[in-house]
Amino acid sequence: MKTAGRVLADKVRSIKESQAFDIRSSALPTWCPGCGYFGIHQGLNGCIKELGVPHHEVQVVSGIGCAGRYPFFSHTYGLHTVHGRTLPVATGVKLANPALTVFAVGGDGDGLAIGGGHLPHVARRNVNINYVLFDNSIYGLTKGQPSPSSPPGTKTKASPFGTTDRPLNATLLALTYDASFVARLFAGDPEGIQKALVEGVKHEGFSIFHIYSTCLTFDKTFKTWDNLKKWVHPIPEGHDPTDRKQAINLALEDDFCMGVIYKRA
Ligand code: SF4
Ligand code: MG
């Protein structure tokens, strides 16, 4: 029969074991309640736990914006850098210490506007880092302006008559730049994010995770939870993720299929 002291010691040990590799920091996220970024955080945390990577071997690098705040909420090494420069800084970190598992984290405004010129080069160099692109098609932290992935007609305070520009498709861009691992995912599916991240982190080379998310504070019409839940669906059965042409065709034809679209064999 266990003594009360032994029962308590066992309980403490089991709590510690369940928290091992949990990268959520004690700083609670300052994102708006209901923001899709919580689902991404959950997926990334689940990935680190599943892989059992110690906190001191994980480096998170962010740029600016709501997604840029991610390193504050992650109990790992973190760099909150400057607008659009996540990929070059993450490349430098990986070069300096290849033993680190490196995540570049940023939003659509950060990574597809001023930072857009870095994606082709990190892809063609096949740097072994993981780029988690939080795409809610809006600039959230600066109070809701259209971003490079906003659809035509997006009305905001900065575009009261609706935008006229065509949106960038980060999945298609990554495929045409010959990124060696491309997944498109949904913030409302943390398990799916975890699964793809685990596969992508194990992949030797550049991995991009294009995650559709919501900004429920500033986008009431496009990437809302209700719309995304209706639109997203799994990649069709029979899709061969090692076939780049097939992957590009799929990305051209279907904006809302989710999963690992391409993985160089
Ligand atoms: Fe999320 Fe939008 Fe709030 Fe930023 S402003 S935390 S993107 S809901
Ligand atoms: Mg955004």
Side-chain angles (χ1 to χ4, degrees):
M1 174 142 173
K2 285 185 183 173
T3 61
R6 168 57 61 196
V7 170
L8 187 60
D10 284 351
K11 198 163 186 178
V12 169
R13 190 171 53 245
S14 104
I15 290 171
K16 278 190 175 161
E17 278 169 7
S18 73
Q19 289 174 339
F21 307 115
D22 193 314
I23 59 160
R24 286 171 297 182
S25 72
S26 53
L28 288 178
T30 49
W31 297 318
C32 309
C35 175
Y37 293 0
F38 288 95
I40 303 174
H41 193 14
Q42 194 180 331
L44 189 44
N45 187 45
C47 160
I48 301 296
K49 278 174 110 170
E50 186 176 333
L51 292 172
V53 189
H55 297 187
H56 68 278
E57 291 178 10
V58 179
Q59 173 81 50
V60 181
V61 181
S62 73
I64 50 80
C66 294
R69 301 195 60 76
Y70 187 83
F72 295 102
F73 317 135
S74 167
H75 186 46
T76 62
Y77 284 108
L79 281 168
H80 185 190
T81 70
V82 291
H83 198 169
R85 305 301 173 221
T86 49
L87 291 174
V89 176
T91 299
V93 169
K94 188 69 182 177
L95 279 174
N97 187 351
L100 292 175
T101 299
V102 179
F103 293 94
V105 169
D108 41 297
D110 185 59
L112 299 178
I114 193 169
H118 295 298
L119 183 58
H121 304 291
V122 80
R124 74 191 173 89
R125 291 176 182 137
N126 203 23
V127 183
N128 191 10
I129 58 173
N130 308 285
Y131 182 27
V132 186
L133 177 60
F134 298 34
D135 185 358
N136 55 12
S137 299
I138 203 99
Y139 285 90
L141 195 68
T142 48
K143 307 277 180 279
Q145 295 82 20
S147 88
S149 63
S150 302
T154 298
K155 285 190 181 174
T156 69
K157 278 177 276 184
S159 54
F161 303 111
T163 50
T164 52
D165 306 335
R166 292 175 60 77
L168 290 180
N169 175 338
T171 297
L172 191 56
L173 283 175
L175 288 165
T176 53
Y177 294 151
D178 204 11
S180 59
F181 183 102
V182 181
R184 185 165 54 202
L185 305 159
F186 171 41
D189 177 20
E191 290 82 16
I193 293 174
Q194 176 175 336
K195 189 164 170 263
L197 280 169
V198 166
E199 194 177 339
V201 170
K202 287 180 181 168
H203 170 75
E204 284 286 324
F206 178 60
S207 305
I208 177 168
F209 308 88
H210 177 201
I211 306 186
Y212 284 179
S213 189
T214 59
C215 174
L216 75 175
T217 303
F218 293 110
D219 173 17
K220 310 285 185 198
T221 56
F222 178 47
K223 282 184 176 161
T224 62
W225 281 121
D226 284 348
N227 281 347
L228 285 176
K229 279 185 203 159
K230 261 187 278 169
W231 295 339
V232 301
H233 52 268
I235 284 173
E237 273 184 40
H239 173 67
D240 176 4
T242 63
D243 183 333
R244 184 160 164 250
K245 273 192 193 161
Q246 218 185 97
I248 289 175
N249 282 335
L250 184 62
L252 280 169
E253 286 162 7
D254 186 341
D255 279 341
F256 293 98
C257 62
M258 302 285 131
V260 177
I261 292 182
Y262 178 64
K263 184 177 179 180
R264 193 182 296 157

